[in-house]
Amino acid sequence: MSRGRPAPLLEVRGLVKRYREGEGERTVLDGLELELAAGEFMVLLGRSGSGKSTLLNLISGVDRADAGTVRLDGADLGQLSERGRTLLRRDRIGFVYQFFNLIPILTVWENVLLPMEFAGRAPAAAVERARGILERVGLAARTDTYPDRLSGGEQQRVALVRALVHEPRLLLADEPTGNLDAASGAQVLQLLRELSRGRHAVLMVTHSEEAARVADRALVLEAGRLRPLQAGEP
Ligand code: ADP
Ligand code: MG
């Protein structure tokens, strides 16, 4: 089997997800396949309601599939206990959302360190790393500020630091620029790329043509499966 090609960081096979709808069922994901290599920057497009967020929830183990498998970093999510999935998610995955989900009563610095405190560790190296990334995204001077004093773009940059400070293998981003003006969106996209390069894979759901252009691969979720973005699309 193995011929030197490393196993993908993320491998999704035959994924099916249905939701009950009235008396019947609606199939949102219908045998979806996906492979993501370590370090790859992948963009996922698709019209609203096509199942993009559903897919991210299955990949992170927040939700469970009706059929198919998700393997992340060698672990089969379906074979793990609830606790196992929680630990995998906490240690290996970072999240960025459309709405930044910062905690309003915590400062920038506290927001950034919070996930590591949950994990019961805020080692000196991690604190150092947090400072470094905050510096890199241009917010080193704002660490004692509260989120409501920041612009949307700044809040999203804090969320990005928070998502990366534990050095995840996979960053899941669900329309991270969807709530930003064009300039802030472009800046967040640029940081996503720069902070990622070779370190962790990125799976970014977006409507941004610019993101699709700069990604290593751009796929479209349609009729429950993924297909390559065509030239000239969208
Ligand atoms: P996208 O992120 O691409 O806009 P979603 O993954 O949020 O799409 O939703 C895909 C479809 O699944 C939609 O039709 C949505 O209404 C439905 N859906 C999502 N979550 C649920 C749920 N918890 N219960 C029932 N239907 C849902
Ligand atoms: Mg969505």
Side-chain angles (χ1 to χ4, degrees), residues 25-229:
E25 269 186 340
R26 201 172 114 71
T27 302
V28 176
L29 304 180
D30 190 11
L32 182 143
E33 308 268 323
L34 170 64
E35 278 187 21
L36 186 63
E40 193 173 11
F41 192 135
M42 180 184 282
V43 153
L44 209 69
L45 302 116
R47 63 174 178 72
S48 176
S50 58
K52 305 180 298 295
S53 296
T54 297
L55 175 59
L56 295 193
N57 287 340
L58 294 175
I59 289 171
S60 65
V62 171
D63 203 356
R64 303 200 71 169
D66 293 294
T69 57
V70 176
R71 295 186 71 86
L72 175 62
D73 216 3
D76 182 341
L77 262 58
Q79 302 294 313
L80 293 176
S81 63
E82 189 66 47
R83 171 88 182 141
R85 277 195 300 278
T86 300
L87 290 177
L88 188 80
R89 182 162 58 240
R90 192 188 71 188
D91 293 339
R92 318 277 174 87
I93 302 181
F95 295 91
V96 186
Y97 304 94
Q98 177 172 2
F99 302 100
F100 326 117
N101 294 348
L102 300 177
I103 312 239
I105 59 166
L106 299 181
T107 64
V108 164
W109 182 244
E110 290 164 344
N111 266 282
V112 162
L113 288 188
L114 190 64
M116 284 191 299
E117 316 242 305
F118 276 135
R121 64 196 147 107
V127 171
E128 204 48 44
R129 193 161 56 239
R131 286 196 197 288
I133 312 177
L134 275 166
E135 180 93 35
R136 178 63 199 84
V137 304
L139 290 174
R142 310 298 296 279
T143 52
D144 294 331
T145 305
Y146 288 87
D148 66 355
R149 295 301 173 91
L150 301 176
S151 72
E154 288 169 335
Q155 289 185 57
Q156 193 60 306
R157 282 184 273 150
V158 174
L160 187 54
V161 178
R162 178 184 58 184
L164 294 177
V165 77
H166 65 300
E167 299 192 296
R169 304 288 329 271
L170 174 63
L171 181 72
L172 298 176
D174 199 348
E175 306 195 29
T177 62
N179 205 36
L180 302 178
D181 61 73
S184 301
Q187 189 179 27
V188 164
L189 177 62
Q190 173 76 7
L191 285 168
L192 263 171
R193 286 181 72 203
E194 285 180 16
L195 295 171
S196 297
R197 203 150 278 151
R199 294 200 187 97
H200 49 263
V202 179
L203 184 51
M204 174 181 179
V205 166
T206 186
H207 297 288
S208 155
E209 292 173 35
E210 173 64 12
R213 225 178 354 257
V214 303
D216 296 320
R217 265 196 297 163
L219 302 176
V220 181
L221 180 48
E222 193 175 80
R225 299 194 187 195
L226 292 170
R227 62 163 174 84
L229 183 72

